Amino acid sequence: MTIRLARRTLLTSAAALAFAPAMAARPVLAQPATGPGGRLERVVAARAPTTPTGLTLSTDGRMFLFMPRFDEKTVFTAGEVFPDGRVVPYPSEAANRPDPARPAETLFHVPNGVFDRKNRLWLLDAGLMASSGEPVPGAAKLVCIDPAANAIVRTIPLQSVMTKTSSLNDLRVDVRPERETAYITDQGQTGEGALIAVDLVSGRAVRRLAEHASTRSVDGILKIVEGRVLMKREADGTASPIKGGANGIALSPDGTRLSYAPLMSRRLYQVETAALLDAGKDDAAVAATVADLGEKGLTGGLIADSRDRIYLSLQEFNGIGRRDPDGRIEVIASDPRLIWPDTFWITGDGWLYLSSAQANRRPEQNGGLDRQEPPYAIFRMRIDAGPA
């Protein structure tokens, strides 16, 4: 049955699921500013079924979380958050049941979703059935949802740009009169990442900068979260380094530059967006437009504001950093409750939202033991700018 819902200083070191039926009124979570700048405010304790890596809000304040299907405990991968903390499958329970026989019609592994300037919700589906393994054929896609109707209105396949070890991670959508484009990171399961650009009008997708130094996981990186070195830890006690290529991305206010970084890298990179979809440019020509912006600490999610400042999820320090256009980086907030800060979202009235994903507490990093402690906190803080 389809369920219809109406509603810093530069750093160099270191479910209980409550399911409810459809409701008559749409939840509005974004409220007017009440707290001072620099202070993190917990908006809601979300009773998500598992690790909420992705987060976005509509223009009218509806909040959505995205939980990659790392294992069978992920009973749904896209959900809407209600003010009392309940998270329900979105756009429906049926759409969240992955079906390899209907890969284009069902959701498999959604790490993130974003709203565009037309208030359409775009979901990134990596097409995975677990934290690793070959993506299900035909399951990787972009899905566009009309939030007014809570219905899927378009699907764009991404099979042509996938590899057997792809792990699509983050998404930005740029909708302007002169362009409609999506930008995606593929962090890869072995650390060999890439960028993907999609023309949303034609559906044409291209894979760029595969195996380039700017998209590749860096060997020897030491990442310490909650006082423990982040490693892949098996139940038998063996451990291996975490691999993570191109991960977070941020789009400049004018849409001409895409900033990105591998999960396991301390450096921030930027590429000219015009080159990514230019059929006349080969990968070498695209690489010629890449700039190394220098060190920024170890991060996950990124986002830019209307003043071209890039926000950094500082997972080692339970904090938020910000890089100014001149390269200066400072820590603007920190809170011990902010465990593995991940995806950001900026609202039109100047709130910066982010999720406390607890990804470091997952079984894969803890010898098979799930150390996550639901509910998952969603925070916000006041900033003096709007979305890019």
Side-chain angles (χ1 to χ4, degrees):
M1 177 181 70
T2 298
I3 296 178
R4 298 295 295 273
L5 298 178
R7 308 273 296 170
R8 89 214 118 197
T9 304
L10 181 63
L11 301 171
T12 58
S13 68
L17 168 65
F19 184 81
M23 296 185 66
R26 291 180 180 174
V28 178
L29 298 174
Q31 302 295 329
T34 56
R39 177 178 296 177
L40 280 174
E41 170 189 340
R42 194 183 76 169
V43 179
V44 64
R47 297 195 294 276
T50 187
T51 320
T53 62
L55 164 75
T56 193
L57 284 87
S58 66
T59 55
D60 60 352
R62 295 171 69 184
M63 181 185 289
F64 300 85
L65 287 180
F66 309 103
M67 298 131 295
R69 187 166 270 107
F70 290 123
D71 53 38
E72 67 281 354
K73 292 183 180 179
T74 312
V75 292
F76 60 90
T77 188
E80 181 170 7
V81 186
F82 285 77
D84 62 1
R86 288 173 300 117
V87 184
V88 302
Y90 191 84
S92 68
E93 184 181 19
N96 274 268
R97 294 193 208 109
D99 184 353
R102 299 166 53 241
E105 301 169 44
T106 56
L107 298 175
F108 287 72
H109 178 113
V110 178
N112 202 9
V114 299
F115 276 91
D116 66 18
R117 297 184 182 202
K118 298 180 180 180
N119 201 41
R120 297 175 301 185
L121 176 59
W122 291 88
L123 306 185
L124 173 63
D125 191 342
L128 296 168
M129 285 295 289
S131 58
S132 61
E134 186 173 349
V136 174
K141 56 190 173 289
L142 284 173
V143 177
C144 184
I145 297 176
D146 174 8
N150 298 315
I152 295 173
V153 295
R154 190 180 178 198
T155 299
I156 299 177
L158 298 175
Q159 185 65 38
S160 65
V161 291
M162 299 293 285
T163 71
K164 291 184 178 181
T165 58
S166 281
S167 181
L168 305 183
N169 183 266
D170 210 347
L171 170 69
R172 289 289 177 261
V173 172
D174 188 18
V175 176
R176 303 169 194 260
E178 67 275 18
R179 73 172 74 92
E180 291 198 11
T181 311
Y183 303 100
I184 299 166
T185 50
D186 184 350
Q187 72 173 12
Q189 298 175 36
T190 59
E192 297 293 338
L195 299 181
I196 294 167
V198 185
D199 183 329
L200 297 178
V201 177
S202 67
R204 171 176 166 259
V206 292
R207 185 178 179 87
R208 294 296 204 178
L209 300 177
E211 301 183 5
H212 189 266
S214 67
T215 63
R216 185 184 303 135
S217 182
V218 177
D219 292 338
I221 290 288
L222 184 68
K223 186 166 185 172
I224 300 174
V225 184
E226 290 193 290
R228 192 176 189 212
V229 174
L230 187 69
M231 300 280 286
K232 183 176 180 181
R233 304 177 190 274
E234 307 292 344
D236 62 6
T238 59
S240 58
I242 296 292
K243 300 281 188 179
N247 187 278
I249 50 175
L251 188 65
S252 65
D254 61 5
T256 64
R257 291 162 287 114
L258 190 73
S259 299
Y260 60 97
L263 177 67
M264 300 305 289
S265 170
R266 295 185 179 276
R267 306 196 74 79
L268 182 67
Y269 299 93
Q270 199 168 77
V271 66
E272 294 179 8
T273 56
L276 294 174
L277 269 175
D278 189 341
K281 291 186 182 294
D282 60 14
D283 241 24
V286 175
T289 74
V290 173
D292 184 340
L293 300 185
E295 191 166 345
K296 47 75 184 159
L298 286 171
T299 58
L302 309 171
I303 199 169
D305 67 18
S306 57
R307 295 172 56 183
D308 205 17
R309 300 176 300 183
I310 299 172
Y311 295 83
L312 314 164
S313 58
L314 299 174
Q315 294 157 347
E316 289 190 297
F317 297 93
N318 306 89
I320 303 170
R322 186 169 62 200
R323 183 189 188 276
D324 289 342
D326 63 4
R328 183 174 66 98
I329 293 177
E330 61 180 340
V331 177
I332 61 172
S334 181
D335 192 306
R337 300 171 299 170
L338 189 57
I339 303 162
W340 194 279
D342 207 315
T343 298
F344 293 107
W345 190 252
I346 298 175
T347 61
D349 56 351
W351 283 103
L352 176 74
Y353 282 77
L354 76 163
S355 60
S356 177
Q358 301 188 38
N360 59 299
R361 295 182 174 185
R362 287 194 52 79
E364 296 90 342
Q365 282 75 55
N366 293 280
L369 178 63
D370 190 349
R371 297 181 180 274
Q372 297 176 101
E373 297 181 6
Y376 298 86
I378 308 300
F379 293 92
R380 70 177 181 176
M381 68 175 294
R382 207 73 168 96
I383 60 174
D384 56 349

